[in-house]
Amino acid sequence: TDEIMQQEIRPLVAVDIIEQLHRQFAILSGGRGKDGAPIITFPEFAGFSDIPDEDFLNVVTYLTSIPSLEAASIGFIIIIDRRRDKWSAVKASLTRIAGAFPGNLQLVFVLRPSRFIQRTIADIGIKLYRDDFKMKVPIIMLNSVSDLHGYIDKSQLTRELGGTLEYGHSQWIHHRTAIENFAMTVKTTAQMLQTFGTDLAETELPNDVQCTEELLSAHTDHHSKLKDELKLAVKQGATLLTCIREPVTRSANSKLSPDELENVATVERLLAQLDETEKAFDQFWTKHHLKLEQCLQLRHFEHDFREVKLALDNLMEAQAGFADIGDSVTRVEHLLREQKQLEEKGQEPLEKAQSLALHGEQLIQNNHYAVDSIRPKCVELRRICDDFTNETKKKYDILGKSLELHKQLDKASQWCEAGIYLLASQAVDKCQSQEGAETALVEIEKFLVTAKEHQLSNPKEFYNQFDMILTPEIQANAQRILQKLEDVQEMFDKRQVSLKKLAAKQTRPVQPVAPHPESSPKRASPKITRPA
């Protein structure tokens, strides 16, 4: 693009002087001298002396600007055809060319007037006025085109000069305007691409999804239009190239003149520059489009991150609210159900967070430009997920311990109540007998066997086991139940001692007593009351 933009712009183009060119008072037929010097012909033109100086200078300047620098540096050959004119016309032509020709001259051929008297005057005039022409190049006066053929090959001369070179002035003007239009198209296209590239480079990336999508769409549309312009330009150049080469494709015997070959080279060079420009533009666009797409990916990622982060924060806040560990089995079971509901509720945001973190890592692997922004967010998402999972596990552990604790306390309390009930249900009068005391002892011993299943462990083991959840309230309740256990145990111990004493008392045996002689058999014997 820079190469095209920096090319030297010619001051004149065919369209600027199209009317003067159509007058055909000077032509660049495309012929060359033996050393490759370009030939400019001044055909017979009745009003040559009436041509304004500006028009003459513009046309000659334009014609000398067309050949390549290499060909122009050799020097131009000028052929002035004045066979049907007078010596005054020859003199006027030489004077005007000498004073205004902008190029480097090598030779000047003059086809002098064909009438005898004018030819004689011309011979004399050229000798007398040669110095007045101020030309530092040879001026060769020729009597006929045959003489000209001795200097320039017929293949480099038009039919008007007895040559075989095909030349159509209207077609030449058409080709020149087409080439220059194409050159301007290439230049304009390059400028558009450069301007668009500059706009792209200076574009600040938006901070939200919608603006990024709109920018990406706008740039993509503009890019598509420029690509269409490029395709049209390439098509224009290819069509022009076909037109210039048309004589060769039409006839195998035809050959392009050196100027036509230069035209072909010019169009091919412009097409090559257009191709290079397109490749450079495509390369730049690929990078820019990738950056815009990555920007859109980033904005979507950031938007999703904000939504997921909000959901996770709410989840963590709800979890933090579950500080209660319960003060009863019923309460702990209710808390466990609520914790389960919170865990189920958190599955969706946790899955979204893990999925988003994975997506962010994929963006990083794909060489996203915003790695430093994406990676910390991925780390934060995974950290929050891990925190929630770990905190949930911790909550379950604490509530599980709490449930176990309260179940043990309830069992111990129930055991105490059952023990008290047992002791209360043993009727005192029934325990006064040996049999009753023994029965009561058996009941107590059976009940005490269940103590290991229903009682708490010793206080030291108990506190070690549940130290992490012993709040002051739970500790007070546990101490109360432990004290109750001790009291009930003491009650059982005392009852056992009493019952054992009662069971150990033996009833004194009854000795047989012989009746007294004086006793009457009809006398009733006194009742022996059994001690209670």
Side-chain angles (χ1 to χ4, degrees):
T1 302
D2 291 341
E3 182 183 349
I4 295 175
M5 298 301 296
Q6 292 172 1
Q7 283 185 354
E8 181 183 355
I9 305 300
R10 290 180 180 138
L12 284 173
V13 291
V15 71
D16 296 334
I17 54 172
I18 195 72
E19 294 182 5
Q20 293 88 328
L21 289 174
H22 274 297
R23 296 178 70 182
Q24 204 172 342
F25 58 80
I27 63 171
L28 184 71
S29 63
R32 298 292 172 91
K34 294 178 180 179
D35 56 357
I39 299 173
I40 293 179
T41 304
F42 289 88
E44 292 179 321
F45 190 81
F48 187 79
S49 58
D50 298 328
I51 298 172
D53 290 341
E54 183 181 359
D55 292 354
F56 176 81
L57 182 61
N58 285 340
V59 170
V60 174
T61 301
Y62 176 70
L63 295 180
T64 55
S65 69
I66 294 174
S68 65
L69 293 176
E70 181 182 359
S73 64
I74 300 172
F76 287 88
I77 296 175
I78 290 180
I79 300 175
I80 303 173
D81 185 3
R82 293 295 180 263
R83 287 174 289 177
R84 298 179 184 178
D85 221 324
K86 299 178 180 180
W87 158 245
S88 58
V90 175
K91 179 181 178 182
S93 300
L94 289 172
T95 302
R96 171 167 272 190
I97 293 170
F101 193 80
N104 179 28
L105 280 173
Q106 184 189 103
L107 276 174
V108 177
F109 292 103
V110 179
L111 284 169
R112 56 190 173 182
S114 57
R115 286 179 293 176
F116 178 77
I117 187 169
Q118 291 298 329
R119 183 181 301 174
T120 304
I121 295 172
D123 288 341
I124 298 171
I126 198 64
K127 292 176 183 178
L128 293 175
Y129 298 102
R130 182 184 294 272
D131 294 337
D132 293 343
F133 297 141
K134 297 179 182 179
M135 289 188 177
K136 298 180 180 180
V137 297
I139 300 175
I140 302 175
M141 303 295 290
L142 303 172
N143 294 323
S144 65
V145 292
S146 300
D147 295 341
L148 181 61
H149 297 162
Y151 295 93
I152 300 175
D153 191 272
K154 292 170 66 175
S155 63
Q156 302 300 312
L157 297 171
T158 61
R159 294 184 183 277
E160 289 76 13
L161 298 177
T164 60
L165 180 65
E166 294 290 340
Y167 177 79
H169 192 60
S170 296
Q171 186 184 52
W172 180 88
I173 292 176
H174 174 71
H175 283 176
R176 289 309 309 165
T177 53
I179 291 171
E180 288 164 3
N181 284 338
F182 180 55
M184 183 57 65
T185 299
V186 172
K187 177 190 172 185
T188 304
T189 304
Q191 287 176 333
M192 288 192 298
L193 296 180
Q194 187 178 41
T195 301
F196 182 53
T198 302
D199 291 342
L200 297 186
E202 295 175 352
T203 299
E204 292 186 6
L205 298 178
N207 292 321
D208 60 89
V209 172
Q210 183 178 352
C211 291
T212 305
E213 287 178 341
E214 291 173 355
L215 183 66
L216 179 59
S217 176
H219 282 190
T220 302
D221 290 344
H222 197 169
H223 169 261
S224 298
K225 291 178 181 177
L226 286 176
K227 288 291 287 184
D228 291 340
E229 293 286 342
L230 276 167
K231 288 179 182 178
L232 287 175
V234 171
K235 185 177 181 180
Q236 179 186 351
T239 303
L240 177 56
L241 203 57
T242 302
C243 291
I244 297 173
R245 288 174 171 165
E246 192 267 337
V248 177
T249 55
R250 187 179 65 242
S251 173
N253 297 326
S254 298
K255 289 184 180 181
L256 296 180
S257 69
D259 279 1
E260 288 173 327
L261 291 173
E262 284 190 359
N263 288 342
V264 169
T266 298
V267 175
E268 287 178 340
R269 185 180 71 254
L270 290 170
L271 283 170
Q273 290 175 351
L274 203 58
D275 183 60
E276 290 175 5
T277 302
E278 184 174 15
K279 287 179 179 177
F281 176 69
D282 286 344
Q283 186 177 7
F284 176 80
W285 169 252
T286 300
K287 292 180 181 178
H288 178 76
H289 188 256
L290 175 61
K291 191 168 185 178
L292 280 181
E293 286 188 327
Q294 288 187 341
C295 177
L296 183 59
Q297 292 170 348
L298 177 63
R299 300 303 173 235
H300 277 299
F301 178 80
E302 291 172 339
H303 177 266
D304 294 343
F305 173 80
R306 286 190 292 270
E307 289 187 344
V308 171
K309 178 70 164 50
L310 179 61
L312 291 178
D313 289 343
N314 292 336
L315 197 61
M316 294 297 290
E317 185 179 352
Q319 190 180 60
F322 280 89
D324 188 8
I325 61 173
D327 55 4
S328 66
V329 171
T330 304
R331 176 61 179 165
V332 174
E333 288 177 343
H334 175 72
L335 291 174
L336 280 169
R337 287 193 296 272
E338 287 188 340
Q339 182 63 43
K340 184 66 177 177
Q341 291 173 355
L342 180 63
E343 184 183 17
E344 291 173 352
K345 179 183 176 183
Q347 286 305 307
E348 183 178 354
L350 286 176
E351 289 174 1
K352 285 184 177 180
Q354 294 287 2
S355 175
L356 186 60
L358 180 62
H359 176 58
E361 289 166 357
Q362 289 173 344
L363 292 178
I364 293 172
Q365 290 176 358
N366 293 334
N367 299 319
H368 197 285
Y369 71 85
V371 173
D372 294 339
S373 173
I374 297 173
R375 182 174 282 118
K377 291 180 174 61
C378 294
V379 173
E380 186 175 3
L381 288 174
R382 294 201 182 280
R383 179 189 61 76
I384 297 176
C385 290
D386 291 342
D387 287 349
F388 180 80
T389 302
N390 294 334
E391 193 64 24
T392 299
K393 184 178 181 302
K394 184 179 177 182
K395 291 284 185 184
Y396 276 127
D397 291 342
I398 291 174
L399 290 174
K401 284 281 186 184
S402 179
L403 183 63
E404 184 182 351
L405 167 65
H406 288 296
K407 282 183 177 180
Q408 286 194 28
L409 291 176
D410 283 359
K411 284 183 179 180
S413 181
Q414 290 168 7
W415 185 83
C416 289
E417 295 297 331
I420 293 171
Y421 177 79
L422 175 63
L423 292 175
S425 66
Q426 291 181 336
V428 177
D429 56 342
K430 292 182 180 180
C431 295
Q432 296 301 318
S433 67
Q434 181 182 9
E435 183 181 357
E438 288 176 349
T439 300
L441 279 171
V442 169
E443 289 176 350
I444 289 172
E445 287 172 357
K446 284 183 179 180
F447 183 78
L448 290 176
V449 169
T450 65
K452 291 183 179 180
E453 299 175 8
H454 296 86
Q455 289 187 35
L456 301 175
S457 54
N458 66 67
K460 184 177 181 180
E461 290 180 1
F462 176 82
Y463 287 122
N464 287 339
Q465 183 179 3
F466 298 107
D467 180 58
M468 63 183 291
I469 60 170
L470 284 178
T471 64
E473 294 80 6
I474 294 177
Q475 188 169 356
N477 188 35
Q479 287 175 345
R480 181 181 60 79
I481 293 176
L482 284 170
Q483 184 61 49
K484 191 174 182 180
L485 279 171
E486 288 183 18
D487 294 344
V488 172
Q489 187 66 50
E490 186 177 353
M491 291 169 64
F492 273 114
D493 290 343
K494 289 181 179 179
R495 177 65 61 88
Q496 281 180 311
V497 170
S498 299
L499 290 173
K500 284 178 180 179
K501 286 180 179 180
L502 289 172
K505 288 181 180 181
Q506 298 294 326
T507 304
R508 187 176 298 173
V510 179
Q511 299 295 330
V513 178
H516 294 281
E518 63 275 12
S519 62
S520 174
K522 294 181 182 179
R523 189 178 177 179
S525 57
K527 287 184 179 181
I528 301 175
T529 304
R530 188 170 183 171

